[in-house]
Amino acid sequence: MGRGNYFAHTSLDGRSPTQRMYDAGYPAFGTWTGEDLAAGYTTTADVLNGWINSPAHYAVLVNPQYHAIGVGRGYTTGSTYGWYWTADFGGVVDAARGAPVARAVLTAPTAQVPAHLVIPAKVAAPPDSGYHASWTAQSPDPTVVIGSTATLVLALENTGSRGWSNDGSGQQVVIGTNDPPDADRSELAGDWLSANRLTSTTTDYVGPGEVGWFEFTVRAPAAAGDYRLALRGVVDGVSWLEDDGIFFTIHVYAPLGGRTSLSFVR
């Protein structure tokens, strides 16, 4: 910005912040991205205070969708604002980077710094993947003895514009663990695909407007108690489906004297 003597989220070559992040090697498309800019400030503390005191910029700073950040500053002699500051935010933690390379820092004389300037924050929502779902039905919560298994069923309606296919085309919807996403629930895994992926649809294809059925087993852990299993649909590498708060409570009890028994008292 200093070299081009401009101040805007869109660069002079027409690229958006999301496009610039992508061009730098960050997987920006398909996740949340945001950017805060400032100019004319000489210290990090002043820049941060300026963003905190601006509701639009503060909303970007504390947005829980962001899990990665890149911060940069530069000084250009003869430019309108001297110092330029950028903070880019993303929803994906990408591969670990090496230690930053030490660089010389130019100190701008205070007299050359004009009035502070902060422009509105830039926030970009991820593009629509076409994959969406709505909870339709599920089997009752199971009550099982330690070490035994129970078969559960979940139904999701395809409310998106793309079909769910099990033909290896990358359009496969599976049931993943949730709350938090990708939680390792191996203590409950029966015939699951992995510790955080349970199963795919029972049919090869579920078109838009159709209902997909998912069937899987859970295995009771070695300790009695109630185990909450939160679930959510996902197309791996593309997008999570809607979080409808789906969960099962697995009621696990211990056998009595080597035999199983249930009692009811009213």
Side-chain angles (χ1 to χ4, degrees):
M1 288 185 289
R3 291 179 181 178
N5 200 25
Y6 76 99
F7 188 58
H9 289 293
T10 301
S11 53
L12 294 181
D13 58 6
R15 292 183 300 162
S16 67
T18 303
Q19 184 64 55
R20 291 195 301 273
M21 294 180 209
Y22 177 81
D23 292 343
Y26 182 76
F29 292 104
T31 188
W32 287 88
T33 58
E35 180 176 86
D36 279 347
L37 298 179
Y41 292 87
T42 58
T43 69
T44 304
D46 286 341
V47 172
L48 186 57
N49 286 333
W51 286 338
I52 290 175
N53 291 322
S54 166
H57 294 82
Y58 184 70
V60 175
L61 294 178
V62 300
N63 190 329
Q65 300 287 352
Y66 299 135
H67 303 286
I69 184 174
V71 180
R73 70 168 185 171
Y75 179 79
T76 303
T77 302
S79 62
T80 301
Y81 298 105
W83 283 110
Y84 295 82
W85 305 74
T86 301
D88 285 337
F89 303 84
V92 174
V93 179
D94 55 344
R97 305 292 185 182
V101 178
R103 297 179 180 177
V105 177
L106 297 177
T107 301
T110 303
Q112 296 182 10
V113 180
H116 299 161
L117 178 65
V118 177
I119 66 173
K122 181 73 172 183
V123 178
D128 187 1
S129 66
Y131 292 105
H132 298 280
S134 177
W135 177 91
T136 300
Q138 68 184 71
S139 53
D141 292 340
T143 299
V144 291
V145 67
I146 289 175
S148 64
T149 62
T151 299
L152 302 179
V153 175
L154 174 64
L156 299 178
E157 180 185 354
N158 181 351
T159 57
S161 59
R162 303 185 64 174
W164 305 345
S165 178
N166 287 341
D167 61 2
S169 61
Q171 301 179 28
Q172 183 181 37
V173 172
V174 298
I175 299 300
T177 56
N178 196 29
D179 197 21
D182 294 329
D184 185 331
R185 300 307 306 272
S186 53
E187 79 278 12
L188 294 173
D191 58 352
W192 298 7
L193 302 173
S194 68
N196 55 26
R197 294 292 183 270
L198 282 66
T199 187
S200 59
T201 54
T202 57
T203 56
D204 291 334
Y205 182 79
V206 179
E210 298 178 345
V211 174
W213 291 87
F214 303 83
E215 183 176 305
F216 56 93
T217 63
V218 292
R219 181 174 298 277
D226 291 338
Y227 295 82
R228 187 177 187 273
L229 177 61
L231 303 174
R232 185 177 177 183
V234 60
V235 181
D236 282 315
V238 179
S239 174
W240 284 92
L241 306 187
E242 279 71 13
D243 188 352
D244 285 343
I246 301 168
F247 71 92
F248 289 89
T249 299
I250 318 301
H251 305 287
V252 179
Y253 65 96
L256 301 177
R259 299 179 180 179
T260 61
S261 176
L262 290 176
S263 63
F264 175 77
V265 178
R266 185 173 61 183

